[in-house]
Structures are given as C-alpha cells and as structure tokens.
Amino acid sequence: LAKTTQPISMDSYEGQEVNITCSHNNIATNDYITWYQQFPSQGPRFIIQGYKTKVTNEVASLFIPADRKSSTLSLPRVSLSDTAVYYCLVGDPKAAGNKLTFGGGTRVLVKP
Amino acid sequence: ETGVTQTPRHLVMGMTNKKSLKCEQHLGHNAMYWYKQSAKKPLELMFVYNFKEQTENNSVPSRFSPECPNSSHLFLHLHTLQPEDSALYLCASSQDGGGVNYGYTFGSGTRLTVV
C-alpha cells in the first residue's frame, strides 16, 4: 500500500478556501486517491476520489498532477461546520480484498 | 444516517462483563469491517469480512471476537476487556473490489468505556 504524508493540522477562517496537499511518492499504476472527512465521534465520510487531473463534486475538488506523486484537496469557502479531520488514502479500488489504511489525517480548524 | 447502523452508540462495561456491538448495513455491500479509534490515534483496522468469511485479523486480542452471520450483519463480542480498550469502535462496509467509485461507508460508531 502506498504511504501517504499530509500536514498534521491547518487553521483557516470562514469563507476562505482550504487546500490540503497529500504526498504519495510510491503510488502504483492502479491506485486511486480517495479523501475522507471525519467529525468528532463519528465515522469517516467519503468526500472525493480521483485518478488523475481534476475531479470536482458538490463538496470539494481534487487536483492530481501528471506524475500523481501528490494530490491536493480543495475545500471552497469553508464554514465552521467544515472543522474536521481529513484523510488521504491511496489504493486500488478494484483489487480483491482491498482495505483502507488510515494515517493520522489533517486536522482542519475553521475559525469565525 | 449513512446506511450503516451501529448499536449501541455508547457503552460502559466492567472488565468482567460480556457485551456485544452490532452493525447492520442494507447497502448491498459484500464486505464489512471493524475499526478501532483510540484517542489521538489513527483508525486501526481490526477485522475484515468478505462474503461472510473472515479474511483478516490484524493481531487482535482474543477478548475481541467477531461474528458475521450474513453479509448484512456484523457483531463484535467483547469479554474481559481492559481499560485501554476504551475507544470508538467503527463498523464499515464496502463493495469489495468493485468499480471505480468504491468507497467505504462507515457507521457512527460505538463509544466504549471500560471501567
């Protein structure tokens, strides 16, 4: 499984854009990049997944450069309710027996 | 509700008690998982079930005993736990190996306190 490295924490203010970069130098050809969000005392929630270039949904955007050795989760115009831990995971979603291994995540604090 | 329901939400038990955690999903997923999340630690994968068969046990002590009677239900039986077993226990399900848009769906967890 490809190892990921992301900042331990980030602070932001309401209305700002938050960008969290994740490094995954050993990403394999069949690996996808997936981000999860976790609020205190709740299970993680799937946010977005991508393979290359850019993916956007109603919650976030995911930017993946051509070499795929890193990715950036972008949260536009954050609100206080976006305060959470964000996890970057890399793996092959089509592999049998695939299982998610979580790192420490990035703790995002949105201030008023 | 995420589609994965865990009960109870909170549990306090003594070290000599026996209790069970329950997880239920009606998403049509074929894989189910137990994770443990201790304070200020990453989620730790405990057990993996695929089509009701246990496919992974990450060196979990025998005082934790999983059971998967069918692909919709998963239990974690607890006995003679230690205070350090206090944590948030999360259940998740997924469609194993399926499709591009795979993702795990997690329940809200059971907050376990061992006294």
Side-chain angles (χ1 to χ4, degrees):
Chain A
L1 292 171
K3 180 178 165 54
T4 61
T5 303
Q6 53 184 123
I8 294 174
S9 64
M10 297 179 72
D11 287 359
S12 184
Y13 291 91
E14 280 190 293
Q16 288 189 336
E17 179 181 79
V18 171
N19 295 306
I20 309 171
T21 297
C22 178
S23 298
H24 27 80
N25 291 317
N26 297 322
I27 189 168
T29 302
N30 294 331
D31 286 345
Y32 282 69
I33 300 144
T34 310
W35 286 80
Y36 281 76
Q37 173 192 57
Q38 186 181 24
F39 298 116
S41 295
Q42 291 188 29
R45 181 176 76 109
F46 174 92
I47 300 178
I48 197 166
Q49 182 184 79
Y51 184 80
K52 61 180 179 181
T53 62
K54 177 183 174 183
V55 179
T56 298
N57 62 21
E58 64 277 6
V59 176
S61 294
L62 179 59
F63 299 91
I64 306 168
D67 67 5
R68 303 200 328 122
K69 293 184 183 299
S70 67
S71 59
T72 299
L73 175 73
S74 180
L75 306 172
R77 298 180 299 281
V78 293
S79 63
L80 297 176
S81 62
D82 292 315
T83 293
V85 179
Y86 293 82
Y87 298 95
C88 165
L89 297 100
V90 171
D92 180 357
K94 299 177 185 175
N98 185 35
K99 48 193 179 292
L100 291 181
T101 302
F102 287 80
T106 297
R107 191 171 300 272
V108 172
L109 173 63
V110 180
K111 303 175 183 177
Chain B
E1 270 306 326
T2 64
V4 176
T5 303
Q6 289 187 243
T7 54
R9 289 298 309 275
H10 301 273
L11 178 62
V12 179
M13 59 186 288
M15 289 190 285
T16 57
N17 291 159
K18 286 185 180 181
K19 296 286 184 183
S20 296
L21 310 185
K22 179 182 176 182
C23 177
E24 186 173 351
Q25 62 92 6
H26 295 289
L27 299 170
H29 291 167
N30 57 16
M32 297 186 77
Y33 313 81
W34 279 116
Y35 281 84
K36 174 186 177 182
Q37 188 171 36
S38 304
K40 301 193 190 301
K41 284 187 176 182
L43 284 87
E44 302 170 53
L45 179 64
M46 299 175 72
F47 301 105
V48 179
Y49 276 83
N50 225 298
F51 290 102
K52 304 187 301 178
E53 299 297 321
Q54 186 180 125
T55 57
E56 184 144 345
N57 174 340
N58 272 351
S59 304
V60 180
S62 60
R63 57 185 184 270
F64 295 91
S65 174
E67 178 190 0
C68 189
N70 56 62
S71 56
S72 298
H73 295 85
L74 185 65
F75 296 89
L76 188 62
H77 304 298
L78 316 170
H79 64 97
T80 56
L81 294 192
Q82 305 298 311
E84 59 266 27
D85 296 323
S86 299
L88 181 67
Y89 288 85
L90 290 159
C91 172
S93 70
S94 75
Q95 190 61 27
D96 181 54
V100 170
N101 292 318
Y102 96 111
Y104 280 27
T105 302
F106 282 84
S108 297
T110 294
R111 173 68 63 186
L112 173 67
T113 303
V114 181
V115 297

